[in-house]
Amino acid sequence: MKTLMVSTLSAAQKTSVIALWNKEYPIQLHYQTEEEFDKYLDQLTDISHYLISTDQGEIKGWANTFNRDNEKWFAIIIGSSLQGKGYGHKLLSEIKKMNRELNGWVVDHNDYQKLDGSPYQSPLLFYTKNDFKVLPSKRIESTVSAVKIHWTKDQA
């Protein structure tokens, strides 16, 4: 497995990221088309993409960082076959090296399902193990219900 940082996804990378997103995230966050995913990406500023891929180029993990409301935000997806094997920690560590702070929204319950009908497991414990603070008073109740998490270089 190798990690790569890019400022723009190639067409093939984007197709793979959408497939990974749709497979691993709750069905409520599913993208029907590439155009819908492009709308998501187009609203982000100062974006960087981080990819975990096999030697054959198959994308098994993706993260991005971006600016929103004068804060640095991120999203991350690790394929089920790599979860629990240290790849998420490795990818998050790479992102932390490049940033002084990170913010994210995290589903903090197991009430959702993935596209294949399997349960979506909240990754909240993963983030707390990786030095993120949970901000329980800051929630988003939209397509999904999630809590804000925050990390700064100084608190680690």
Side-chain angles (χ1 to χ4, degrees), residues 124-138:
L124 192 60
L125 182 59
F126 165 78
Y127 291 112
T128 58
K129 285 182 177 179
N130 282 280
D131 302 318
F132 280 81
K133 302 293 183 219
V134 178
L135 306 177
S137 65
K138 298 192 178 190

Side-chain angles (χ1 to χ4, degrees), residues 23-24 26 110-122:
K23 182 178 182 221
E24 301 300 339
N110 298 324
D111 298 338
Y112 296 120
Q113 290 185 335
K114 296 181 186 182
L115 189 61
D116 68 1
S118 65
Y120 176 78
Q121 297 296 315
S122 169

Side-chain angles (χ1 to χ4, degrees), residues 29-55:
L29 300 174
H30 178 82
Y31 283 107
Q32 297 285 338
T33 65
E34 188 173 310
E35 290 76 24
E36 288 178 1
F37 188 70
D38 284 339
K39 275 188 185 178
Y40 162 70
L41 293 179
D42 288 345
Q43 69 179 342
L44 308 178
T45 59
D46 193 29
I47 189 169
S48 295
H49 300 275
Y50 302 80
L51 304 168
I52 295 177
S53 65
T54 64
D55 292 336

